[in-house]
Amino acid sequence: MICDHDTIAAPATAAGGALAVIRVSGGDALTICDRIFRGSAPLADAEGYTVHYGHIIADGRTLDDVLVTVFRAPRSYTGEDAAEISCHGSQYIVSETLRLLTAAGARMAQPGEFTIRAYLAGKLDLSQAEAVADIIASSSRASHALAANQMRGGYSAAFDTLREKLLHLTSQLELELDFSEEEVEFADRTQLRDTMRQIKERIDALRSSFSLGNAIKEGVAVAIVGAPNVGKSTLLNRLLNEERAMVSDIAGTTRDVIEERANIDGIVFRFLDTAGIRSTNDTLEQMGIARTMSSIERAQIIIRLIDASQPAVPVSGGSPSSGQTGRKSAPAVASADSAADTPSPNFPLRPDQTLLTVYNKIDKTPRFALPEGAVGISARNGDGIDDLRRILRDAVDTEALYHGGTVISNSRHYEALTSASEALSAALDGLRDNLPTDLLSEEIRQVIRHLSGVTGQDIVPEEVLKTIFSKFCIGK
């Protein structure tokens, strides 16, 4: 069974701190704790939301002085009686306390078992439960805001609104089945079609937010590309404020992609220092260039670095032509009109990618005139780096994230929305083709089932739950 009625115990804090918390949950949680805890009164007699000082006793000796917080069902994280033992963070103390608890009748919790009990008790819906791990793993203001909105029910509200509208449609269709046309006049089919299209637009808008949400959750990928010796590795080191990449005047030094992270104004960026793009017969360098192209494909932002001290030379063959741009618009984003005299990249851009044209080594060419829309820097001495950081930050649109909008970051949710969108397209086709009412109703119910799978409002297979909780909720 994915959840039984055993009393379970596990650390609730990471190892290595000065203090540790051990969580115990289940019908016998307080009785089991009393078998190893000595305080002024038994925990089993304590009121909920009270804290008790005492000692953990091991083989007649005091293992540690602790504080135990008591929670009573149903007002606890899991909906069960529970206790949290705050002890010193010694690995020996934690492991010995867990050994005593299991000897007293508890068992060690499986990954995600506390949170799955919270979900099954109705304390959290499925998307909120998944957000627990995201909050714990958040490493920036943006990723925390993303998970916190999901944890507070931001997903739930958005999906509930869609489900209610779809359920209303199916109820109207079922009325049409139950009564004759003389008794019940169903809403105009044009109105039905318009409502379904509005719902599909909302579903597709949520799907499109996944690009931003996943980038924030995993870190916004920024590929630094250009010809050899334009200063890519020097720029990486400057952005990181540390000497991470090897710098050399020898062309082709970087043979593999170097990836490092930096937090810029609350957003984590994953900078990818790539091999210089040029024609070469060196097999290893060719492999590095192939990996550069792969990095470009998976990047949200591409910094096209150009040496301002050298004559304009295409990044990879060809002749100078107009620059390329993705969907974003920022001060340093090259545009087709403003970058006519700059080298053009020999790689395609997706609509969701941003291209920043950056000229390096401007300290060597004080009279260099920057093309409109480009930015000038000196990676070696730091000139223009603060401006570049600001432009990178502004290229990530977090308006919805910080102002109550729903941003999808979970691939499972994205897949469910994709299936819902496809099912709704089928329903719209059925409406156009005068599909019988009962079949049309079933098409819409299929959409509802896909949406319900995100929050767990329909029955979720046990194997799916096991996968979700073992993957996303570690030890919580």
Side-chain angles (χ1 to χ4, degrees):
M1 294 292 292
I2 194 166
C3 184
D4 52 34
H5 298 288
D6 293 347
T7 295
I8 56 176
T13 51
L19 298 176
V21 175
I22 297 170
R23 178 178 287 166
V24 187
S25 181
D28 296 327
L30 302 179
T31 301
I32 288 173
C33 285
D34 274 333
R35 291 171 184 161
I36 70 169
F37 173 79
R38 296 294 179 270
S40 59
L43 297 173
D45 297 334
E47 297 291 330
Y49 292 91
T50 56
V51 181
H52 305 265
Y53 170 75
H55 313 283
I56 298 297
I57 304 300
D59 302 323
R61 63 184 177 86
T62 297
L63 176 66
D64 196 18
D65 295 351
V66 300
L67 293 174
V68 180
T69 306
V70 172
F71 302 89
R72 289 289 187 176
R75 298 178 61 192
S76 72
Y77 180 71
T78 59
E80 306 170 319
D81 283 351
E84 291 185 352
I85 303 172
S86 298
C87 60
H88 289 96
S90 157
Q91 183 178 352
Y92 168 72
I93 291 174
V94 172
S95 61
E96 187 68 3
T97 302
L98 287 169
R99 183 190 69 80
L100 293 170
L101 285 168
T102 54
R107 68 166 172 81
M108 289 296 295
Q110 298 298 312
E113 193 166 0
F114 288 107
T115 304
I116 198 170
R117 290 190 179 196
Y119 162 66
L120 294 174
K123 297 290 182 177
L124 305 166
D125 68 29
L126 198 53
S127 67
Q128 290 174 306
E130 288 173 307
V132 171
D134 289 341
I135 285 180
I136 295 170
S138 62
S139 58
S140 67
R141 179 190 174 206
S143 60
H144 176 267
L146 193 67
N149 181 48
Q150 184 177 339
M151 183 73 179
R152 287 193 299 265
Y155 277 29
S156 306
F159 281 87
D160 285 348
T161 299
L162 292 171
R163 288 181 74 259
E164 287 172 8
K165 290 180 179 180
L166 290 164
L167 286 168
H168 179 66
L169 293 182
T170 58
S171 66
Q172 288 182 300
L173 289 168
E174 286 168 1
L175 278 174
E176 189 177 75
L177 285 172
D178 292 340
F179 299 95
S180 66
E181 291 184 3
E182 291 76 19
E183 294 175 287
V184 175
E185 182 179 353
F186 183 70
D188 190 316
R189 287 301 173 106
T190 301
Q191 180 184 348
L192 175 62
R193 183 180 294 105
D194 289 343
T195 301
M196 290 169 65
R197 282 176 176 166
Q198 290 171 7
I199 294 172
K200 187 177 186 304
E201 287 174 1
R202 177 56 178 154
I203 290 173
D204 289 342
L206 289 171
R207 287 179 64 232
S208 66
S209 73
F210 177 74
S211 178
L212 169 64
N214 188 59
I216 288 173
K217 181 177 178 180
E218 303 296 333
V220 180
V222 181
I224 305 173
V225 303
N229 276 352
V230 295
K232 297 184 296 298
S233 297
T234 305
L235 175 57
L236 175 67
N237 291 339
R238 179 64 65 176
L239 288 168
L240 298 176
N241 289 319
E242 64 175 282
E243 297 297 316
R244 173 62 183 85
M246 183 172 64
V247 176
S248 170
D249 292 333
I250 302 173
T253 300
T254 301
R255 297 297 182 92
D256 205 349
V257 176
I258 299 173
E259 178 175 329
E260 290 294 332
R261 294 170 177 256
N263 189 315
I264 300 176
D265 192 22
I267 297 176
V268 172
F269 289 83
R270 294 188 293 116
F271 291 105
L272 311 173
D273 178 23
T274 65
I277 303 175
R278 65 172 179 174
S279 297
T280 178
N281 293 323
D282 187 303
T283 302
L284 287 177
E285 194 172 352
Q286 287 176 347
M287 292 173 63
I289 293 171
R291 294 186 180 185
T292 294
M293 303 310 291
S294 176
S295 296
I296 291 171
E297 290 176 5
R298 59 191 175 95
Q300 281 80 44
I301 300 174
I302 300 165
I303 294 178
R304 179 179 55 172
L305 197 62
I306 301 169
D307 187 344
S309 67
Q310 298 297 321
V313 177
V315 171
S316 180
S319 58
S321 61
S322 62
Q324 299 185 37
T325 179
R327 176 178 55 83
K328 297 285 186 185
S329 179
V333 176
S335 66
D337 295 330
S338 66
D341 57 346
T342 67
S344 64
N346 192 24
F347 48 81
L349 292 175
R350 300 189 310 272
D352 62 337
Q353 288 180 310
T354 297
L355 175 64
L356 306 181
T357 299
V358 180
Y359 281 83
N360 188 25
K361 306 181 184 180
I362 58 171
D363 53 319
K364 295 183 178 181
T365 54
R367 295 184 179 181
F368 179 77
L370 282 172
E372 183 181 352
V375 64
I377 66 167
S378 171
R380 187 174 297 278
N381 64 28
D383 291 346
I385 296 299
D386 287 343
D387 287 339
L388 179 57
R389 288 195 180 102
R390 176 184 54 79
I391 291 164
L392 286 168
R393 170 61 183 84
D394 291 346
V396 182
D397 184 5
T398 56
E399 183 72 17
L401 194 64
Y402 295 129
H403 294 85
T406 302
V407 179
I408 300 297
S409 63
N410 186 305
S411 59
R412 186 181 72 85
H413 304 167
Y414 176 78
E415 291 167 2
L417 286 165
T418 299
S419 297
S421 179
E422 292 171 351
L424 198 50
S425 292
L428 282 165
D429 290 342
L431 186 62
R432 181 198 62 200
D433 298 335
N434 294 317
L435 193 71
T437 300
D438 58 337
L439 296 180
L440 182 59
S441 178
E442 178 54 33
E443 292 277 12
I444 296 175
R445 287 196 174 278
Q446 185 67 24
V447 181
I448 295 172
R449 283 191 284 272
H450 289 306
L451 296 179
S452 297
V454 173
T455 55
Q457 289 167 297
D458 281 354
I459 295 175
V460 180
E462 183 172 314
E463 289 305 313
V464 174
L465 289 178
K466 285 181 179 179
T467 300
I468 290 172
F469 284 95
S470 64
K471 181 178 181 181
F472 291 101
C473 305
I474 303 171
K476 289 296 289 178

